[in-house]
Amino acid sequence: MPHKPIRSILIGNGVNQLDGGPKWEELMNRLTTAAGVDSELVSGLEHKPFPLVYETILNAFDDKKMGKREPDLKKLVAETLQNLCSNEYHRRLARLPIDEILTTNYDYGFEKALTDGSGERRPPKRETKYSVFRNRKAGKMRIWHIHGELEQPWSICLGTDHYTGYVAAIRELLLARGRVAEEGDQDRERTLGIVAKGLLRLWQTGTIESWIDCFFTGRMDIVGFGADYTEMDFWWLLNIRARQSRNIGLPLGDITFHCLKPARNEHREVARLQVLENLCVTVKRYPIRGSDRHRLLYDEFIKNYPG
């Protein structure tokens, strides 16, 4: 690999929750209230996949508010989250020796930690719904809002329809890259599939044109991200990465998932971490207990991040 490895971090909603930000259950409850639909729609929320709960709320919203559409509902989501602020951990994470920040959060906590506002939106081409190239520049840092952003509510990724369309857009990018690489094919690469050829070129150049590239080159650390099975873009990329790494015969990047060590009776979490490891992800479990354990996890991660 002739280039300097790219360092990136993927941050989920956990960093907002450290400072009172809403969990997904709270967001769905707030959305139900703001949309003026029956609160029974979110009963038993802990047993339902969030993308389908959103679709249920959307269907009820369409029935109740004739003439209203999904963009109106997503505007309510943006309004619900617009007052989220940056906190100490946004600032500390953003100042690590990294090249890229990936976040599933729609708000601008990292931009506010580095500048006075939401940063400069700099997509290479205009995107309205999906966020394959969506990023902002805050100081020298590039921040990728991989699930959309508040200033463009239509980009907010919530429902099953959005997730499945997003995976299709990600797949098309990888195929398009492969087709370009195939045009300059060398003999030793003729046995590789189209996607593998594109990833081999990425491995050779290390050029980051989309947040997706961070899954396949350099080092990526994941913290404060629950990796729920409904995050189908995340799981799809990990699966493709594991498959193509075998096809190419090269390690496609180094991904480490940082989390609290689950108790033995937390069978679902134990199994989730095993699935991650089966998909060639290193899992670092922190044996931290107590009410402040989530904050201490960030402290340990930041303290031990290599300079």
Side-chain angles (χ1 to χ4, degrees), residues 21-301:
K23 297 182 179 180
W24 283 113
E25 294 90 341
E26 296 173 58
L27 177 59
M28 290 297 106
N29 279 305
R30 290 186 191 181
L31 184 57
T32 302
T33 301
V37 298
D38 191 346
S39 61
E40 282 299 311
L41 292 174
V42 292
S43 63
L45 191 56
E46 67 275 13
H47 303 299
K48 299 175 181 177
F50 294 128
L52 287 177
V53 172
Y54 169 81
E55 299 290 356
T56 303
I57 296 171
L58 174 61
N59 291 335
F61 183 65
D62 283 342
D63 291 340
K64 186 177 179 64
K65 307 286 187 181
M66 295 302 293
K68 296 289 186 179
R69 300 175 300 119
E70 186 172 10
D72 298 294
L73 189 61
K74 289 196 172 183
K75 286 179 182 176
L76 290 178
V77 175
E79 290 168 4
T80 300
L81 299 174
Q82 65 182 351
N83 292 324
L84 287 178
C85 298
S86 176
N87 63 40
E88 169 195 354
Y89 289 91
H90 287 101
R91 291 186 287 276
R92 292 173 64 190
L93 288 165
R95 285 172 170 77
L96 290 173
I98 54 178
D99 303 293
E100 313 281 347
I101 294 176
L102 285 59
T103 180
T104 55
N105 299 333
Y106 319 130
D107 64 279
Y108 302 109
F110 286 108
E111 288 87 344
K112 292 175 182 177
L114 293 168
T115 66
D116 293 329
S118 58
E120 177 188 359
R121 186 163 59 88
R122 299 181 62 188
K125 61 180 181 180
R126 182 168 177 79
E127 293 179 295
T128 54
K129 184 173 183 179
Y130 301 122
S131 302
V132 174
F133 301 102
R134 185 182 308 280
N135 69 85
R136 286 180 176 264
K137 195 80 170 180
K140 296 181 179 180
M141 183 63 65
R142 189 161 53 172
I143 301 163
W144 302 83
H145 289 274
I146 70 176
H147 282 174
E149 58 179 324
L150 295 183
E151 288 186 9
Q152 289 188 295
W154 184 235
S155 70
I156 293 175
C157 185
L158 280 172
T160 301
D161 180 73
H162 199 138
Y163 270 105
T164 53
Y166 198 14
V167 170
I170 293 170
R171 180 177 181 273
E172 180 52 38
L173 173 68
L174 296 180
L175 288 172
R177 293 255 187 89
R179 294 186 195 106
V180 171
E182 195 171 40
E183 293 176 0
D185 205 355
Q186 299 176 10
D187 288 342
R188 68 184 182 85
E189 298 169 14
R190 291 190 184 282
T191 58
L192 295 178
I194 289 179
V195 170
K197 290 174 182 177
L199 293 177
L200 180 58
R201 290 291 189 275
L202 171 65
W203 185 86
Q204 292 168 338
T205 64
T207 302
I208 303 299
E209 298 175 348
S210 165
W211 64 268
I212 296 161
D213 300 331
C214 296
F215 274 74
F216 298 102
T217 187
R219 167 181 176 149
M220 183 166 72
D221 290 274
I222 305 171
V223 64
F225 179 67
D228 191 270
Y229 291 125
T230 59
E231 306 281 6
M232 59 184 75
D233 52 340
F234 173 77
W235 290 103
W236 189 87
L237 278 169
L238 290 183
N239 183 52
I240 286 294
R241 172 179 172 269
R243 284 190 181 192
Q244 297 301 334
S245 182
R246 291 193 297 272
N247 291 342
I248 298 173
L250 293 170
L252 291 173
D254 179 14
I255 299 180
T256 301
F257 186 86
H258 301 261
C259 63
L260 294 170
K261 182 178 181 180
R264 291 183 179 179
N265 62 350
E266 293 180 284
H267 303 297
R268 183 176 175 82
E269 292 309 308
V270 170
R272 190 193 319 275
L273 300 183
Q274 291 173 345
V275 174
L276 284 168
E277 290 175 323
N278 292 340
L279 291 174
C280 305
V281 174
T282 300
V283 176
K284 185 169 183 179
R285 301 163 175 84
Y286 294 75
I288 302 172
R289 294 288 180 263
S291 60
D292 214 24
R293 60 191 181 279
H294 296 287
R295 195 175 298 271
L296 293 173
L297 167 62
Y298 283 94
D299 288 336
E300 284 296 308
F301 170 71

